[in-house]
Amino acid sequence: MAKVKPLLKILASVWIVYNIAALMVMPNVSSYFGRVASKYVGPYANLVGLNAGWNFFSPDPAHPMYLKVSVNYPANEDGSYRDPLFTTYPPPDEENKVAGLTRKREWAVMRFMVIDPRRLRQIFGPWLCRQYPGAESIDMEHVVETLPLLDEAAFNKDVNLLDMSQERRYAKAAVRCDGTGDEESL
């Protein structure tokens, strides 16, 4: 009997650790770690009812999105054209790793504007015209850079993530900077 007691303690400890592992893996079985570990704890979790997902882990990161802006200028007096200015909104900010309050507001404004393309033409376009005096027209295009799934990134670890991402284009709008875009018409 004295030899059985330590063996029961070890088995009970292993069973408790295994249950805790099932409790940690099964609520987020759709994650990368959950898919890998579920083959070890999934059958047991399904049998005892620990297979319910709670979704308490953070979601996938949001896809980077921005507006590509092309500022077009009128012809010069000699008939030559000034090259258009190409920029993005919000402007890229490589030196700051943590976004400040201003940067977060720019992201929120851009996302609000692209929900309805009319806002791009009637609100955001005239604002951009005021930011670039002398512009004749402004072309805007909503771009979303898709991020690869974690499985794809792990499988292709030798490939740069930017090379695996794809640009998806959604809303487009063009605005003439002669004062015809008015917020009242929204």
Side-chain angles (χ1 to χ4, degrees):
M1 183 74 177
K3 292 183 179 183
V4 174
K5 215 172 194 180
L7 181 64
L8 286 175
K9 285 184 178 180
I10 291 172
L11 288 175
S13 297
V14 168
W15 180 76
I16 289 171
V17 168
Y18 188 73
N19 273 300
I20 291 172
L23 285 170
M24 295 302 293
V25 169
M26 294 311 292
N28 197 21
V29 76
S30 64
S31 71
Y32 181 73
F33 178 72
R35 288 191 300 270
V36 170
S38 68
K39 62 183 169 188
Y40 303 110
V41 296
Y44 171 74
N46 291 336
L47 182 68
V48 296
L50 295 175
N51 59 351
W54 301 332
N55 295 327
F56 60 85
F57 293 104
S58 65
D60 291 333
H63 296 290
M65 63 175 69
Y66 55 90
L67 283 171
K68 279 189 175 180
V69 177
S70 170
V71 181
N72 305 309
Y73 292 96
N76 294 330
E77 294 172 3
D78 61 358
S80 64
Y81 282 92
R82 180 175 164 187
D83 288 336
L85 173 70
F86 297 104
T87 185
T88 61
Y89 189 86
D93 191 14
E94 288 87 19
E95 54 272 352
N96 287 337
K97 299 294 182 204
V98 179
L101 183 59
T102 304
R103 173 62 64 176
K104 290 177 185 175
R105 287 182 178 174
E106 288 173 344
W107 289 337
V109 164
M110 186 267 314
R111 287 187 170 133
F112 175 74
M113 291 297 166
V114 299
I115 289 173
D116 185 357
R118 291 181 306 168
R119 293 181 189 148
L120 287 175
R121 287 188 307 275
Q122 297 170 347
I123 298 173
F124 198 65
W127 179 80
L128 282 174
C129 286
R130 289 189 298 275
Q131 302 306 308
Y132 298 99
E136 181 178 51
S137 66
I138 294 184
D139 300 322
M140 297 165 284
E141 184 175 29
H142 178 220
V143 177
V144 176
E145 290 186 11
T146 60
L147 298 174
L149 297 173
L150 184 58
D151 294 337
E152 183 182 347
F155 182 72
N156 299 320
K157 53 185 143 195
D158 296 335
V159 180
N160 187 349
L161 285 178
L162 294 175
D163 295 337
M164 286 192 280
S165 71
Q166 299 175 353
E167 281 189 357
R168 307 259 187 217
R169 301 177 190 294
Y170 292 102
K172 282 185 175 184
V175 175
R176 299 213 35 94
C177 291
D178 54 9
T180 58
D182 191 1
E183 295 91 356
E184 305 266 334
S185 62
L186 187 63

